[in-house]
Amino acid sequence: MVASRGVDRYLELLAKSIAELYLLRAYAAMALYVSSFLIYSMALGLALRALARRRGAALVEGVPVVYLKRDLLTSFTVSIWRPIIFIAPRHRDDPVILAHELGHAKSPYFSYTRYLFWMLLLLFFGAMYGGDGEHFLAQATVWALGFGIGVILSALFLLPRDELFADAYAIKRLGDAALEERARWRHEDWAGIHNLKGLARRWAIWSIHIFFPGIPRDLEGIREYLRDISRDPLKPIGHFSLIAPWLAVYSGTFTYLAGVVYGIADARLLLMFAIFFLAGMVLSYLLALALKPVVAKFAKLDPFKISLMLASSFLGTASLASPGILLASPEVFAPIAFLLTLLVSISIARIATDKPYVFALISTAILYGISILIGLTALWRAHLL
């Protein structure tokens, strides 16, 4: 009996060591991918900005603007570490187009969504190192699946919505002139759909609503819609689209952790993923309700939507470090979790307030304080304290 217990204990420690080994390998891959991307994008971005200035790019509000000689379909903004605006020849004398592109370049929402997309994509590849053909392959696959779904949801729901912030910036900067031109453009988008049929028509309608959720079809309705977003660009954006990418990260990570701890490596992982996703949605709303009174004192935009963004990002970043806290080294990964949440919270706070650092620190402290209080209460109720 004693020998049997000793063998069981040895096998348990061996399994924990193997899990820790693969987990640390996944974390190392994530850190390598993310740091390499940041260094590469910073170097490339600075080089492109230097090249643009040498080629005679104008500097408008601190952003290099390149006026192209070769005709293009449209003007656009490229952001590799720092933004650069390219103006097509037909838009050279159009101040509204320039203001719209400046809106992309200066939008903190653009920075947040762009980096969220790339970070989730890189974490997707890193999570694949959490297992191999013999150990934890199914769990690592579901972990990577969470990041992959987050990438898709951020590309579908978050990246296109930067158009709202760009139009809002142009209207704030130029007033009625920008409002009329952008309203006319959006109205022409709807008018062009009348010439389409079948699948092409449905695709065109869907794409308009992806960029501008709930936008009306009549010109006066579009004007009012644009007036509203100039006051609050988050207004047309639904709650689910703001939190969905982080919920995918939360559910994928906790499914991986539960699968490793309890030895689950079958179709039950997918069921657990769905359960964690729904649980994360409920938790996001509850945390947002608790956070809203504080956010309302700082935020210029809808305080509940900002609270939802902060709450869901907290769930995602805290969960990302949770396998390391429980399976490896809590004294190392707990501060990492707090730092990750703080960095993302600063990025979100820049969307809503002129005091992002103070706001982010307070909101992060509140979220972690709530989670610690809940944890201590659970331990007390279980008579473990």
Side-chain angles (χ1 to χ4, degrees), residues 284 287-289 291-293 295-296 302-312:
S284 293
L287 289 171
L289 287 172
L291 200 58
K292 182 183 174 182
V295 172
D302 187 326
F304 187 68
K305 287 183 177 179
I306 296 297
S307 299
L308 272 176
M309 294 173 71
L310 290 167
S312 61

mmCIF file of all heavy atoms in Angstrom, residues 284 287-289 291-293 295-296 302-312:
data_model
loop_
_atom_site.group_PDB
_atom_site.id
_atom_site.type_symbol
_atom_site.label_atom_id
_atom_site.label_comp_id
_atom_site.label_asym_id
_atom_site.label_seq_id
_atom_site.Cartn_x
_atom_site.Cartn_y
_atom_site.Cartn_z
ATOM 1 N N SER A 284 -17.749 39.161 -17.515
ATOM 2 C CA SER A 284 -17.434 40.471 -18.096
ATOM 3 C C SER A 284 -18.504 41.496 -17.747
ATOM 4 O O SER A 284 -18.193 42.634 -17.371
ATOM 5 C CB SER A 284 -17.292 40.358 -19.615
ATOM 6 O OG SER A 284 -16.172 39.594 -19.974
ATOM 7 N N LEU A 287 -18.329 42.268 -13.879
ATOM 8 C CA LEU A 287 -17.185 43.121 -13.562
ATOM 9 C C LEU A 287 -17.378 44.532 -14.118
ATOM 10 O O LEU A 287 -16.991 45.515 -13.487
ATOM 11 C CB LEU A 287 -15.904 42.505 -14.119
ATOM 12 C CG LEU A 287 -15.404 41.240 -13.419
ATOM 13 C CD1 LEU A 287 -14.255 40.622 -14.210
ATOM 14 C CD2 LEU A 287 -14.955 41.550 -12.002
ATOM 15 N N ALA A 288 -17.976 44.620 -15.316
ATOM 16 C CA ALA A 288 -18.218 45.935 -15.911
ATOM 17 C C ALA A 288 -19.189 46.753 -15.066
ATOM 18 O O ALA A 288 -19.022 47.971 -14.907
ATOM 19 C CB ALA A 288 -18.749 45.775 -17.331
ATOM 20 N N LEU A 289 -20.205 46.094 -14.528
ATOM 21 C CA LEU A 289 -21.151 46.794 -13.662
ATOM 22 C C LEU A 289 -20.458 47.321 -12.413
ATOM 23 O O LEU A 289 -20.758 48.425 -11.935
ATOM 24 C CB LEU A 289 -22.292 45.853 -13.274
ATOM 25 C CG LEU A 289 -23.308 45.535 -14.379
ATOM 26 C CD1 LEU A 289 -24.265 44.437 -13.923
ATOM 27 C CD2 LEU A 289 -24.094 46.781 -14.782
ATOM 28 N N LEU A 291 -17.300 48.091 -12.211
ATOM 29 C CA LEU A 291 -16.282 49.069 -12.606
ATOM 30 C C LEU A 291 -16.882 50.373 -13.132
ATOM 31 O O LEU A 291 -16.235 51.429 -13.078
ATOM 32 C CB LEU A 291 -15.401 48.434 -13.686
ATOM 33 C CG LEU A 291 -14.012 49.026 -13.952
ATOM 34 C CD1 LEU A 291 -13.166 49.016 -12.697
ATOM 35 C CD2 LEU A 291 -13.330 48.235 -15.072
ATOM 36 N N LYS A 292 -18.108 50.315 -13.617
ATOM 37 C CA LYS A 292 -18.709 51.467 -14.309
ATOM 38 C C LYS A 292 -18.701 52.761 -13.496
ATOM 39 O O LYS A 292 -18.379 53.829 -14.046
ATOM 40 C CB LYS A 292 -20.135 51.115 -14.745
ATOM 41 C CG LYS A 292 -20.820 52.239 -15.500
ATOM 42 C CD LYS A 292 -22.252 51.895 -15.858
ATOM 43 C CE LYS A 292 -22.956 53.090 -16.478
ATOM 44 N NZ LYS A 292 -24.379 52.788 -16.796
ATOM 45 N N PRO A 293 -19.050 52.771 -12.192
ATOM 46 C CA PRO A 293 -19.051 54.042 -11.453
ATOM 47 C C PRO A 293 -17.695 54.746 -11.449
ATOM 48 O O PRO A 293 -17.623 55.979 -11.509
ATOM 49 C CB PRO A 293 -19.460 53.623 -10.037
ATOM 50 C CG PRO A 293 -20.220 52.356 -10.217
ATOM 51 C CD PRO A 293 -19.562 51.658 -11.361
ATOM 52 N N VAL A 295 -15.270 54.224 -13.839
ATOM 53 C CA VAL A 295 -14.977 54.586 -15.233
ATOM 54 C C VAL A 295 -15.712 55.868 -15.614
ATOM 55 O O VAL A 295 -15.177 56.713 -16.347
ATOM 56 C CB VAL A 295 -15.361 53.430 -16.174
ATOM 57 C CG1 VAL A 295 -15.247 53.852 -17.630
ATOM 58 C CG2 VAL A 295 -14.480 52.215 -15.904
ATOM 59 N N ALA A 296 -16.925 56.025 -15.122
ATOM 60 C CA ALA A 296 -17.734 57.201 -15.475
ATOM 61 C C ALA A 296 -17.068 58.507 -15.048
ATOM 62 O O ALA A 296 -17.331 59.563 -15.630
ATOM 63 C CB ALA A 296 -19.115 57.085 -14.846
ATOM 64 N N ASP A 302 -18.935 56.165 -23.782
ATOM 65 C CA ASP A 302 -19.871 55.337 -23.022
ATOM 66 C C ASP A 302 -19.134 54.572 -21.919
ATOM 67 O O ASP A 302 -18.333 53.672 -22.203
ATOM 68 C CB ASP A 302 -20.551 54.352 -23.983
ATOM 69 C CG ASP A 302 -21.666 53.563 -23.313
ATOM 70 O OD1 ASP A 302 -21.537 53.251 -22.114
ATOM 71 O OD2 ASP A 302 -22.657 53.252 -23.983
ATOM 72 N N PRO A 303 -19.383 54.883 -20.645
ATOM 73 C CA PRO A 303 -18.612 54.261 -19.564
ATOM 74 C C PRO A 303 -18.840 52.757 -19.439
ATOM 75 O O PRO A 303 -17.927 52.023 -19.047
ATOM 76 C CB PRO A 303 -19.078 54.999 -18.305
ATOM 77 C CG PRO A 303 -20.396 55.588 -18.662
ATOM 78 C CD PRO A 303 -20.334 55.886 -20.130
ATOM 79 N N PHE A 304 -20.058 52.289 -19.776
ATOM 80 C CA PHE A 304 -20.295 50.852 -19.650
ATOM 81 C C PHE A 304 -19.535 50.079 -20.722
ATOM 82 O O PHE A 304 -18.994 48.995 -20.444
ATOM 83 C CB PHE A 304 -21.787 50.532 -19.733
ATOM 84 C CG PHE A 304 -22.088 49.085 -19.450
ATOM 85 C CD1 PHE A 304 -21.898 48.552 -18.185
ATOM 86 C CD2 PHE A 304 -22.542 48.245 -20.450
ATOM 87 C CE1 PHE A 304 -22.157 47.217 -17.914
ATOM 88 C CE2 PHE A 304 -22.802 46.905 -20.194
ATOM 89 C CZ PHE A 304 -22.618 46.389 -18.920
ATOM 90 N N LYS A 305 -19.460 50.602 -21.938
ATOM 91 C CA LYS A 305 -18.714 49.911 -22.994
ATOM 92 C C LYS A 305 -17.222 49.908 -22.689
ATOM 93 O O LYS A 305 -16.540 48.904 -22.918
ATOM 94 C CB LYS A 305 -18.994 50.557 -24.348
ATOM 95 C CG LYS A 305 -20.383 50.254 -24.880
ATOM 96 C CD LYS A 305 -20.613 50.841 -26.257
ATOM 97 C CE LYS A 305 -21.994 50.450 -26.764
ATOM 98 N NZ LYS A 305 -22.282 51.030 -28.100
ATOM 99 N N ILE A 306 -16.717 51.014 -22.174
ATOM 100 C CA ILE A 306 -15.305 51.036 -21.764
ATOM 101 C C ILE A 306 -15.078 50.045 -20.628
ATOM 102 O O ILE A 306 -14.063 49.329 -20.593
ATOM 103 C CB ILE A 306 -14.890 52.454 -21.334
ATOM 104 C CG1 ILE A 306 -14.988 53.421 -22.526
ATOM 105 C CG2 ILE A 306 -13.477 52.451 -20.774
ATOM 106 C CD1 ILE A 306 -14.053 53.090 -23.673
ATOM 107 N N SER A 307 -16.023 49.970 -19.700
ATOM 108 C CA SER A 307 -15.916 49.014 -18.596
ATOM 109 C C SER A 307 -15.918 47.587 -19.118
ATOM 110 O O SER A 307 -15.171 46.726 -18.611
ATOM 111 C CB SER A 307 -17.065 49.210 -17.609
ATOM 112 O OG SER A 307 -17.040 50.501 -17.038
ATOM 113 N N LEU A 308 -16.741 47.306 -20.111
ATOM 114 C CA LEU A 308 -16.765 45.971 -20.705
ATOM 115 C C LEU A 308 -15.431 45.629 -21.361
ATOM 116 O O LEU A 308 -14.934 44.502 -21.229
ATOM 117 C CB LEU A 308 -17.879 45.877 -21.753
ATOM 118 C CG LEU A 308 -19.268 45.469 -21.278
ATOM 119 C CD1 LEU A 308 -20.251 45.532 -22.444
ATOM 120 C CD2 LEU A 308 -19.269 44.066 -20.684
ATOM 121 N N MET A 309 -14.860 46.589 -22.066
ATOM 122 C CA MET A 309 -13.560 46.360 -22.692
ATOM 123 C C MET A 309 -12.490 46.073 -21.649
ATOM 124 O O MET A 309 -11.672 45.158 -21.804
ATOM 125 C CB MET A 309 -13.168 47.572 -23.544
ATOM 126 C CG MET A 309 -14.069 47.809 -24.746
ATOM 127 S SD MET A 309 -13.708 49.356 -25.611
ATOM 128 C CE MET A 309 -12.116 48.956 -26.364
ATOM 129 N N LEU A 310 -12.506 46.844 -20.561
ATOM 130 C CA LEU A 310 -11.522 46.635 -19.492
ATOM 131 C C LEU A 310 -11.735 45.288 -18.802
ATOM 132 O O LEU A 310 -10.769 44.557 -18.525
ATOM 133 C CB LEU A 310 -11.617 47.764 -18.474
ATOM 134 C CG LEU A 310 -11.142 49.138 -18.944
ATOM 135 C CD1 LEU A 310 -11.580 50.214 -17.961
ATOM 136 C CD2 LEU A 310 -9.633 49.168 -19.109
ATOM 137 N N ALA A 311 -12.993 44.949 -18.525
ATOM 138 C CA ALA A 311 -13.289 43.700 -17.819
ATOM 139 C C ALA A 311 -12.910 42.486 -18.659
ATOM 140 O O ALA A 311 -12.299 41.532 -18.158
ATOM 141 C CB ALA A 311 -14.772 43.653 -17.449
ATOM 142 N N SER A 312 -13.271 42.494 -19.942
ATOM 143 C CA SER A 312 -12.969 41.339 -20.806
ATOM 144 C C SER A 312 -11.467 41.213 -21.042
ATOM 145 O O SER A 312 -10.928 40.100 -21.078
ATOM 146 C CB SER A 312 -13.718 41.451 -22.131
ATOM 147 O OG SER A 312 -13.343 42.620 -22.839
#
